[in-house]
Amino acid sequence: MIVRPRRLRRTAAIRDMVRETRLAASMLVYPIFVREGRGVVEELSAMPGQMRWSPDTLPRILERAAGAGIGGVLLFGIPDHKDETGSQAWAEDGVVQRAMRTAKREFPDLTVIGDVCLCEYTSHGHCGVLKGTTVDNDPTVELLARTAVSQAQAGADIVAPSDMMDGRVGAIRSALDDAGLTETAILSYAVKYASAFYGPFREAAQSAPSFGDRRGYQMDPCNVREGIREALLDVEEGADMILVKPGLPYLDVLRAVKERVSVPVGSYSVSGEYSMIKAAAANGWLDERRVVCESAVCLARAGADIVVTYFALSLADWIREGLA
Ligand code: PBG
């Protein structure tokens, strides 16, 4: 006789008991854009509900983040003055450094993560310094290490290099250690694809490349084994955590990376993913809350220990209310 297995779906309580994936607010990271100026709260046209903040208005959103019990905030700086080398990226009084000092002073328990890249700071919008029309890897790595040190000195608990230059994790680790910042952790965007889903971010950060694209340093969406190689190399160089980016379209990559590394793995649900859901919800085509919750569950199920998402604050509320 064949015993028909019970499906364990009959009541909400049973479904809850046997659930394989659970979300927690503490796994969420909220990206925040900080620009120069005073009194700025500027909504991003392609990312409704997301703002650019100036250092003086920033505490308003940090307070919400701290209250939501999320894992941390990821800060992006948008300077007024951009130049060939992106010198505002490592300026002691740079906009992101000031934001970090404010955050640590006013919300000492909120984990602050700094995005380390030059594209928001260079006049040409590429992620490093140029030699002709291509990014020059090694001089860029030195500047990234300087940037990471300046962010850590300003209070960043974690630095997150998102540039995709070769050897930058090792260089950042040594520079941090040399500066006595041995406790600062590195969250490496090790597996970052050259993706069209970053479109709204580039408008938000005013960081679209003025010529060409980022395919010379970011990964080809066709590749997955290369992602594993990148992740393993970064762990060897000292990455404490790994990010796979974008999120939902790359679940297979996330799973593959998770199976090969023993450090925590995060997924970055990027600007384009946010904008798609917002646009569909605004048209009444999708139920925003349900889609956001389901998307986060799928990322966690595929292996994400950390989820970076522009929905972090509402998602944290929904998790607390038992809706996610
Ligand atoms: C900086 C950086 C980018 C994103 C995060 N860090 C943009 C890019 O690589 O073009 C994208 C984030 C998003 O789309 O939400 N290099």
Side-chain angles (χ1 to χ4, degrees):
M1 190 187 85
I2 295 170
V3 178
R4 183 172 66 87
R6 299 299 180 263
R7 282 187 303 259
L8 303 176
R9 287 176 211 152
R10 202 165 49 82
T11 68
I14 294 176
R15 287 196 295 275
D16 219 12
M17 179 173 67
V18 299
R19 188 153 285 162
E20 296 175 36
T21 306
R22 292 172 210 273
L23 296 176
S26 57
M27 73 196 291
L28 305 177
V29 170
Y30 183 51
I32 299 177
F33 300 101
V34 194
R35 53 153 282 186
E36 294 283 359
R38 289 192 59 77
V40 179
V41 184
E42 209 171 51
E43 189 168 30
L44 306 171
S45 58
M47 299 179 73
Q50 301 304 309
M51 316 289 173
R52 291 194 200 98
W53 308 85
S54 49
D56 61 320
T57 58
L58 179 70
R60 296 188 212 168
I61 191 71
L62 294 178
E63 189 174 5
R64 272 212 63 197
I70 58 171
V73 292
L74 172 61
L75 298 184
F76 291 93
I78 312 163
D80 270 348
H81 171 72
K82 306 198 183 206
D83 57 26
E84 284 284 304
T85 56
S87 61
Q88 281 300 302
W90 62 87
E92 204 188 319
D93 63 345
V95 66
V96 87
Q97 285 79 2
R98 275 181 285 137
M100 287 166 175
R101 283 194 194 92
T102 305
K104 275 304 177 197
R105 190 178 58 239
E106 299 195 20
F107 304 95
D109 296 333
L110 180 64
T111 297
V112 171
I113 310 173
D115 185 87
V116 175
C117 192
L118 299 186
C119 67
E120 299 108 85
Y121 303 91
T122 51
S123 44
H124 44 75
H126 277 286
C127 298
V129 289
L130 299 178
K131 188 162 76 183
T133 55
T134 55
V135 172
D136 202 358
N137 192 89
D138 296 0
T140 299
V141 165
E142 272 175 51
L143 300 180
L144 292 165
R146 247 206 249 185
T147 303
V149 168
S150 83
Q151 292 188 358
Q153 282 167 341
D157 303 289
I158 301 173
V159 289
S162 68
D163 52 281
M164 289 296 281
M165 298 303 129
D166 294 329
R168 92 276 205 214
V169 172
I172 288 173
R173 185 69 271 159
S174 324
L176 288 171
D177 291 349
D178 290 349
L181 299 157
T182 51
E183 296 299 315
T184 309
I186 301 176
L187 166 61
S188 172
Y189 290 74
V191 192
K192 176 171 174 182
Y193 287 87
S195 170
F197 287 98
Y198 308 151
F201 172 96
R202 291 181 187 170
E203 184 229 277
Q206 294 151 351
S207 65
S210 59
F211 65 89
D213 54 42
R214 302 210 205 289
R215 285 185 291 182
Y217 37 103
Q218 298 181 347
M219 282 181 48
D220 182 343
C222 301
N223 297 349
V224 59
R225 285 180 299 153
E226 185 188 7
I228 296 168
R229 209 152 65 228
E230 290 277 5
L232 291 173
L233 275 172
D234 279 11
V235 171
E236 225 166 88
E237 286 182 31
D240 302 290
M241 296 173 271
I242 291 291
L243 266 185
V244 175
K245 178 181 173 194
L248 277 191
Y250 293 83
L251 290 183
D252 58 326
V253 181
L254 181 60
R255 164 59 58 189
V257 168
K258 178 64 179 260
E259 281 170 1
R260 298 293 297 273
V261 301
S262 54
V263 298
V265 176
S267 167
Y268 193 141
S269 178
V270 300
S271 55
E273 299 177 66
Y274 176 86
S275 302
M276 288 195 302
I277 294 175
K278 278 290 183 187
N283 277 292
W285 298 335
L286 283 178
D287 177 330
E288 177 172 327
R289 177 179 60 77
R290 293 186 54 209
V291 168
V292 169
C293 295
E294 183 178 332
S295 303
V297 163
C298 293
L299 294 171
R301 191 200 57 225
D305 303 295
I306 302 161
V307 175
V308 184
T309 169
Y310 299 93
F311 288 111
L313 300 183
S314 9
L315 190 49
D317 288 343
W318 295 328
I319 292 170
R320 200 177 37 250
E321 292 160 21
L323 298 170

